[in-house]
Amino acid sequence: MRSVIDITDLSVSEIDGLMDTAVDIIAHPDDYAETCRRKKLATLFFEPSTRTRLSFEAAMYELGGNVLSVTGAATSSAAKGESVADTAKTVSCYADIIAMRHPKEGAAYVAAKNAAIPVINAGDGGHSHPTQTLADLLTIYRERGSLENVTVGLCGDLKFGRTVHSLIEAMSRYSGVRFVLISPEELKLPSYVKKDVLQRQGIPYEQTTDLEAALPGLDILYMTRVQRERFFNEEDYLRLKDSYILTPRKLQRAGKDLRILHPLPRVNEISVAVDEDPRAAYFKQVMNGKYMRMALILMLLKEAGRL
Ligand code: NCD
């Protein structure tokens, strides 16, 4: 059974196909309005979420399907000690496809191994978040016309930020991509991403703590929140949480074609005054996430022989 746990579970040509489908959905939404009639998506979210869960659910409704949902471990049998494996087997009896978010790295993988239906990883701990990456890729593609020859600055919590890890894995497969990794020393990109993805493939990157100095050279600036829930102590979080705050003044140093992305939720990293800047693309990114999730649900249900 085909599931999507990491972004590399999708080939570059499949991602290009998903983007084509998303663009077609945007142009002809009515053509898709009945495609998933009588099909059910189960959203199993054992960690907080607004955008990811609602965009999956909106996606399924816009495809004419239905949604079953678990929100929060406290209200499901996880609170009684049920394993992820048993939950996945159970939900396979009710639904056609699962989107799952869990605080433990690898939880979606375990679910996929045990489910009889496709599982989409909607975020597993600090590991990965492939459907956010699909939203990011469509945003970069629609804003720039291409995913090639782009300098991507990633700023903030590069250690725990799962969206960063997945985006690096995805963008590394396009030609002419380079990265500027902007973070405090304590929140640098984990070595498994640096070694296994960037160095292994010879992708050019630099590391810095200085956002302002990096700004003029960037095509994309991907801001992220410091991931409070993954810290071992509150003191460290409080010390690091406001390391970077993007303001209109700082943006004066950036090029006019820069695009600013953020997976959201934002805490303090981007001042609200930046929202008016034509380079701000983070709310477009939210919308793109819904279309890419529609495209992915369609692809996986077709492959599973359920459509
Ligand atoms: C991200 C996540 O959950 O990893 N949010 C999202 O899904 N858009 C980013 C974050 O929580 O900081």
Side-chain angles (χ1 to χ4, degrees):
M1 182 60 54
R2 178 82 182 276
S3 287
V4 173
I5 307 306
D6 279 306
I7 194 68
T8 49
D9 291 334
L10 297 165
S11 67
V12 170
S13 67
E14 283 173 327
I15 290 178
D16 291 345
L18 290 172
M19 292 199 296
D20 288 344
T21 305
V23 167
D24 195 56
I25 292 171
I26 293 166
H28 310 287
D30 290 349
D31 292 356
Y32 293 85
E34 298 290 331
T35 45
C36 288
R37 218 169 89 76
R38 299 176 62 98
K39 301 300 162 199
K40 282 169 278 175
L41 163 75
T43 53
L44 310 180
F45 275 59
F46 301 106
E47 250 195 356
S49 169
T50 298
R51 265 155 299 276
T52 305
R53 184 172 63 81
L54 294 188
S55 70
F56 265 114
E57 296 184 357
M60 194 56 171
Y61 284 124
E62 290 190 25
L63 293 168
N66 297 298
V67 172
L68 306 171
S69 97
V70 165
T71 53
T75 57
S76 72
S77 282
K80 301 180 185 172
E82 185 168 58
S83 66
V84 166
D86 284 0
T87 300
K89 285 180 186 158
T90 301
V91 175
S92 300
C93 303
Y94 307 141
D96 298 282
I97 186 165
I98 292 172
M100 179 173 161
R101 170 170 290 190
H102 199 284
K104 288 215 176 90
E105 290 79 6
Y109 175 79
V110 172
K113 285 274 161 230
N114 288 280
I117 58 178
V119 174
I120 304 173
N121 181 8
D124 61 330
H127 178 227
S128 80
H129 192 348
T131 62
Q132 179 62 47
T133 300
L134 294 177
D136 304 341
L137 295 177
L138 183 62
T139 306
I140 296 170
Y141 177 73
R142 292 182 77 197
E143 293 296 310
R144 294 181 50 81
S146 166
L147 291 168
E148 295 182 349
N149 304 318
V150 44
T151 299
V152 183
L154 298 138
C155 177
D157 188 345
L158 309 189
K159 180 178 181 189
F160 296 117
R162 55 195 174 194
T163 66
V164 167
H165 308 156
S166 295
L167 183 58
I168 290 176
E169 281 194 305
M171 291 292 296
S172 293
R173 298 191 291 178
Y174 292 87
S175 72
V177 173
R178 41 191 301 279
F179 296 99
V180 182
L181 308 173
I182 309 158
S183 76
E185 282 298 320
E186 294 97 322
L187 298 179
K188 280 161 99 172
L189 193 69
S191 63
Y192 81 88
V193 185
K194 212 176 298 170
K195 293 209 179 84
D196 298 351
V197 183
L198 295 176
Q199 292 170 4
R200 177 170 298 168
Q201 299 180 75
I203 311 290
Y205 70 93
E206 54 188 272
Q207 297 191 92
T208 176
T209 55
D210 190 342
L211 169 61
E212 285 181 68
L215 268 176
L218 302 181
D219 301 310
I220 298 292
L221 172 61
Y222 194 91
M223 294 295 292
T224 62
R225 166 181 80 88
V226 176
Q227 306 279 301
R228 179 180 207 158
E229 64 275 38
R230 318 252 179 255
F231 275 69
F232 295 111
N233 74 69
E234 184 75 359
E235 262 165 50
D236 287 347
Y237 168 72
L238 293 173
R239 187 166 46 78
L240 293 167
K241 73 182 172 70
D242 291 329
S243 299
Y244 301 101
I245 301 178
L246 190 65
T247 60
R249 188 187 60 73
K250 287 182 192 157
L251 272 173
Q252 285 170 5
R253 304 185 62 152
K256 70 169 180 19
D257 292 332
L258 174 78
R259 287 296 178 272
I260 306 156
L261 275 66
H262 190 310
L264 303 177
R266 134 176 82 184
V267 184
N268 264 338
E269 324 64 69
I270 303 181
S271 106
V272 290
V274 173
D275 298 1
E276 305 307 317
D277 191 302
R279 294 170 288 186
Y282 30 93
F283 288 108
K284 292 186 197 168
Q285 205 179 341
V286 173
M287 193 59 115
N288 287 331
K290 181 183 71 179
Y291 295 122
M292 285 304 264
R293 289 179 177 111
M294 290 172 78
L296 182 63
I297 290 168
L298 273 176
M299 180 188 133
L300 291 176
L301 284 179
K302 274 187 198 148
E303 278 195 26
R306 287 179 177 256
L307 282 186

